Structure formats: C-alpha cells, structure tokens
Amino acid sequence: AVERNRLDAAVAAARADLDGVLAAARRRQSAEHPPWSDPSWSAWHPAKAWPTGLPLGVAGDGQLDLPIALPYPAAANLVIHAGADNRAAAIDLLAGAVLRSLLGTPAGRIRLTLIDPVGLGQSFAPLLALVDQGEAVMPGGLATDDERIERALDDLSAHLEAVIRTRLRGKYETIADYNREAGDLQEPIRLVAVADFPAGFGERASERLGVLLRTGARCGVHVLLHHDARTRLAPAIDGTLTQHAALVVREAEGRLAVDHPAMRGWRFTPESLPPATTAARLVSAAGVAAVRASKVEIDFSVVAPPPAEVWSQSTAERLRVPVGVRGAGQLQYLELGRGTAQHVLIGGRTGSGKSTLLHVMVTSAALWFHPRELEVHLIDFKKGVEFQAYAATKLPHARVVAVESDREFGLSVLRRLDGELTRRGDLFRAVGAQDLAAHRRAGGEHIPRVLLLIDEFQEFFTEDDSVARDAALLLDRFVRQGRAFGVHVVLGSQTLSGSYSLAKSSLGQMGVRIVLPCNEADAHLLLHEDNDAVRLLTRPGEGIYNDQAGLAEGNSPFQVCWLSDQQRSDALRPLAARAAADGWKPSSPTVIFAGDAPARLDEDVSLAALLAAA
C-alpha cells in the first residue's frame, strides 16, 4: 500500500507538472495567436517578435488534450496526406497555417509561394488578396500550371544557393543566426504552400521540391504540403517528405490524425479558419503592413567617412567607393582598377533606385577622395536635372556636368576625354610606366583617376549617324584602353533592350555589372543569360553587384544606401571651400552644360581670359 501511495503521488506530481507545462504553452500560444473569436483581431497590429510556433489544432485521448503546433520559424515543414474525403479539411489546415504565419510574423519578414494546380487559387482563397500587394509578400504570385510551378521552385532553389553563399557563408549555421546580426537587412522567411501534390509537378519540379525539403530549413525556406493520398508517390520523394517533415498528418478512421507514435488513436481536431470577411480584412491589413515594412532605407552615413577621414583615401592602386550594405554589417564597395573590374554597367527600371545609386556613388567618392585623386565627368541624357546638384554645389571633382545633354555635346565630352587619354599615354611612355600606379611611383605630374558617368547612355545611338558611330568608337576605346590610364566608364540605363545600344563587344569589356529590379530581358543583357538572380529582387534599392561580367558566381546581393537631396547638398557644399583652403586648383575649369538653359558667357573662364588679354 505504501508503494502504491508513493506511485500515485509520483503520478499526481508528474500530472501537475504536465498540466503546468501545458497551461504555460496554451498561454503563450494564446498570446502569440489569439483565438479567431478574440476581440483583439478587430484592431490587429503586426507582431513585434517572432512566434514560437504555428497552431494547428488539438489532439486528445479523452483524458488529456495537447495543443498541436508547427515549429516556426526553425523547422516548419508540414506534410498532410489526405484523399478526396478529407481534402477540404487538409486544405483548410494548410491555409490556416499560412494565415497564422502571415499574421504572427513581424511585417515584411515573410514571403509566400502558393502552388495550387487543381484549385487554381481557390484552395488559398483567404490569401488571394495578397496578390494585389505585389512582391512584398508574394514575389512569385500564384503558381497554377506546370511552367509557373517549375519557375517558382527554380527561384526558391536559386534563393537557397544565394543564402548559403552570400548570407551564411560558413559563418552562420542558420538564417536565424544571420538575422540576429543583420538589422534592417534581415532575410525574410519563405513559406511554400502546395495543394494536391503531385499534380502539376514534373520531374524537375519534384527534384526542386526535394532540395527545398532537405536544405531549406536552415536557409529559412519551409514547405507546407498537402499530398493527394490517392496518388502513390515514388519511394524517394515519399521518404524525403517523411524524413524532413517537422509534423506529418495522415488519414485514420476517416479523419485527419497526427502521425506520431505517442498519439496513436488520439482524436485530432484541426483549428478552424476565421470567417471569410475577417480573413479578408486581416490579410489585406497584413499585406499593406508588409509593403510598408519592405521599404528599407540604409542611411548614407553608413558609407560616408567620419569628418576626420574626409579625402583620406588614395586612388593610386584602385578606386574603391562604398555604396551600400550587403549582409550583416558588411559594406558593398564599387571597386575599379584591378583585374577585369575596370568599367561598370548599371541597369534598373524606373523606380528601382538607379538614380539614388548614381548619387551615392558620386557623393561617396567625392567625400573619400581629394579632387587631386579623382575627377568626374557627368553626362545625363534623361529629361531631368539629376546632376544639377553637382553644378549648384560647385563640386571640385567635376570637370564636366551635363544636364539634359544633347548627343553632340556628349560626343564633345568623349572627344575631350580621348585627348586626355592620348596625353596620358605620352606621359606614361616618358617614364616607362604601364599603368597609373607605376606612373605615380615614377613621380612627375600627379594624375587623378577619371570617372566618366553617362546616364541613359543609349541615347547616343538613337540615330544611325556620325554621332552614334563616333561615340561607339570612343567608348570602345575607353573600355579597352582606359584601364592602363586610370579612366573608368560607368554606363547607366533603364533598359538595354531595343535597337539602340553600344556594341556587345564593347559591353562585354565591362567587367562590373550592377543590376537593380528590372525585366528579365534586360537582366539577361546585364548579367549572363543563365543568371536569373534578378528575379529575387523585390524592393527599390535592392541590387546585385557582380564583378565577373555577369556570371552567377560573381553575384553579391546588396542594398543601396538612401541619400536625400538635402543630405547630398549638405555633404557636398563645403568641399569647394575645402579644396580652395588646401590650395588646390583644377587642371581645367568645370564645364557646365544645361541643354534647356541659355549659355552664360559671363561664367566662361576661357572667354574671360581672352577678353582680358585683348
């Protein structure tokens, strides 16, 4: 009897401990994911912290009820095997898990891929409002046919490769470890919800799915999958589904049941979806919050030098300019002057952040390098005033600032620079120097590096005439011979598609490619035809820096810093006075050309000198 009493007491104590654990788990789950009837949903706000799981329902044996949740965001693969009789329940369970993840995750930290070849979107009806929010939540949209499914899974596989190579890099074990140090550049979690597998899945798509199941968890990619149990799976994919699922749900006795040895015979009650009107309202609010949160602005101060380090760098060996942030605490540099990294091709559609990148590039370079180290020639063919600020602030580095340029003036700038190349060639031969660094070591005239930046450069080639032919010849000379003489060309464009552009042989000499969000045709012209990484870009200012002529192994995803007009003016305005205080004088006066303004003869230094001598 004593032994029995002791055993009963131990059981009672263990049950009390278990009840305490379950009560704490229920309280945590209720705080992270309130019941759909909770009044708090009437004034929903995005979560501030990540949840510890996604509620799926309750399993019980008549005496004990356990809340069932999917581990999240650590290892959230879910597999539901269900035939026709339980398809509706399985799809609701799938959609409910996605909805809980969307509402319980901090805004902007989740991306969804929905695959529905049988329901054609109806399986995820509560979530379809997200399609209207663009790439902020559903970058791949809704995949309903074989081609779109394969493309979506290809994109996710490319994302895995990019995360391992550019985010984890052998330093971080999981994406969660990386995100703890990444600040505003945290990598969102990807959830892939699949209905009626294997419908719509060819051999390639099934292989890609296997990769996601095996490798995705540590990279933040999780699969929530409903398998049509009427279709027998190949042993390899069936084993992969089971082995890499955090939770498996199967049909048992005509209903869904949790497939776990400890819960055999237990009754599983899946969580219900909220009313359709409630779900639509919450999904719409979550989509708007995600769009708002996806706007990442890395302040320019991150790449600007401290006051004591302004003009502290040399261009003798190379030109190295910080322009943004890549990964956790790392700066992305524009680096020219070594190997094949001599010239830059930049592409991005309207609103992609291309203009901001050009301004960051020029402003950052002007702050890090003295005008005796670097001079810039700026030509803007757009119908705007992007470069006007450099004339207004009298940027000492600027030898040419052309706004709303015409083709003839642009060509005159190229001819002037061609003369400088010839002059430098003579100087280098005189001292036996092969490049700028060797010439600096040999002494003599201190020659700065030259940055020629042409925005919308394809305007040179809108007509088949002598201007286009001469411009093509000169640009080709610069990209082939500029390396030796410290002359670097930066060409920007909203699109490279169409009839008018520089010859491919010349573009091929440009080893650095910077790609911002753009269409696929332009991406293949900017990068290698097999490099589809641009499809992973989802927000303005997010780009790919590639210094291997567009080959995929050269991709470095980064975020361009944000630079307001006021910040730019405040940073540049003091530089002219600083240069004068240093006793620095330019080799030639700055040429300002505004295609929509009359000439100012009173500002022409050369004319003033001639008149004074007359």
Side-chain angles (χ1 to χ4, degrees), residues 132-479:
D132 299 332
Q133 304 300 337
E135 298 182 338
V137 183
M138 290 179 58
L142 176 70
T144 56
D145 57 55
D146 298 18
E147 183 178 345
R148 291 182 181 177
I149 292 171
E150 186 172 302
R151 182 184 179 92
L153 295 176
D154 280 346
D155 287 350
L156 288 163
S157 295
H159 170 73
L160 286 186
E161 181 182 347
V163 166
I164 292 171
R165 184 167 47 81
T166 67
R167 299 296 190 245
L168 303 184
R169 294 180 295 108
K171 179 180 179 181
Y172 303 101
E173 179 59 29
T174 69
I175 199 64
D177 299 329
Y178 164 84
N179 280 341
R180 277 190 285 271
E181 299 181 16
D184 290 337
L185 293 183
Q186 291 185 38
E187 192 64 46
I189 292 295
R190 264 73 171 177
L191 282 190
V192 188
V194 182
D196 297 294
F197 180 77
F201 277 71
E203 183 177 352
R204 180 183 177 87
S206 296
E207 289 176 355
R208 292 294 194 219
L209 179 65
V211 171
L212 299 185
L213 288 164
R214 290 189 295 269
T215 312
R218 67 185 294 253
C219 300
V221 178
H222 308 291
V223 178
L224 313 179
L225 180 144
H226 158 243
H227 161 229
D228 183 352
R230 296 172 298 178
T231 304
R232 187 172 181 178
L233 299 176
I237 190 65
D238 192 22
T240 300
L241 288 173
T242 302
Q243 181 180 354
H244 296 283
L247 185 67
V248 176
V249 175
R250 297 182 184 273
E251 290 178 315
E253 299 180 359
R255 54 185 296 123
L256 297 180
V258 177
D259 186 4
H260 192 282
M263 297 184 189
R264 292 255 165 81
W266 286 32
R267 187 180 185 87
F268 175 53
T269 305
E271 183 186 51
S272 300
L273 288 169
T277 54
T278 301
R281 175 176 58 81
L282 292 173
V283 165
S284 179
V288 170
V291 171
R292 192 180 302 121
S294 67
K295 295 178 181 178
V296 175
E297 291 186 358
I298 306 297
D299 194 79
F300 178 73
S301 60
V302 172
V303 298
E309 295 184 31
V310 171
W311 291 356
S312 62
Q313 299 299 303
S314 168
T315 63
E317 299 291 337
R318 60 181 174 175
L319 175 65
R320 191 168 187 255
V321 183
V323 295
V325 176
R326 61 182 180 92
Q330 298 183 79
L331 296 182
Q332 178 63 61
Y333 289 87
L334 169 68
E335 188 166 347
L336 304 175
R338 289 190 175 180
T340 59
Q342 303 293 332
H343 312 287
V344 191
L345 192 58
I346 301 175
R349 62 175 177 252
T350 302
S352 65
K354 178 171 66 71
S355 293
T356 299
L357 172 60
L358 297 179
H359 286 309
V360 168
M361 190 182 299
V362 174
T363 305
S364 179
L367 292 174
W368 281 103
F369 301 104
H370 194 286
R372 72 168 60 92
E373 292 290 327
L374 176 68
E375 65 179 39
V376 296
H377 299 242
L378 307 173
I379 304 175
D380 184 8
F381 282 119
K382 281 195 304 189
K383 301 301 181 183
V385 291
E386 291 293 348
F387 293 158
Q388 185 62 50
Y390 305 111
T393 56
K394 301 185 185 303
L395 180 67
H397 305 72
R399 301 279 57 80
V400 174
V401 179
V403 181
E404 265 200 70
S405 306
D406 58 33
R407 299 166 67 241
E408 289 75 11
F409 179 79
L411 180 59
S412 73
V413 175
L414 300 187
R415 286 171 173 160
R416 176 178 174 177
L417 194 54
D418 185 51
E420 174 63 12
L421 243 68
T422 301
R423 187 182 78 87
R424 291 188 177 198
D426 294 339
L427 293 174
F428 283 24
R429 282 190 293 272
V431 296
Q434 297 296 317
D435 54 28
L436 184 66
H439 184 266
R440 289 270 185 97
R441 290 192 294 269
E445 180 183 342
H446 187 95
I447 298 178
R449 286 192 185 268
V450 173
L451 193 66
L452 169 64
L453 196 161
I454 308 175
D455 197 13
E456 301 306 327
F457 73 95
Q458 73 278 4
E459 289 295 317
F460 267 130
F461 310 105
T462 54
E463 296 181 34
D464 185 12
D465 57 9
S466 61
V467 173
R469 290 190 291 272
D470 289 351
L473 289 172
L474 290 171
L475 285 173
D476 186 70
R477 183 188 178 198
F478 296 160
V479 298

Side-chain angles (χ1 to χ4, degrees), residues 73-92:
N77 291 341
L78 169 68
V79 176
I80 308 170
H81 299 277
D85 293 343
N86 287 291
R87 180 187 182 275
I91 295 299
D92 283 354

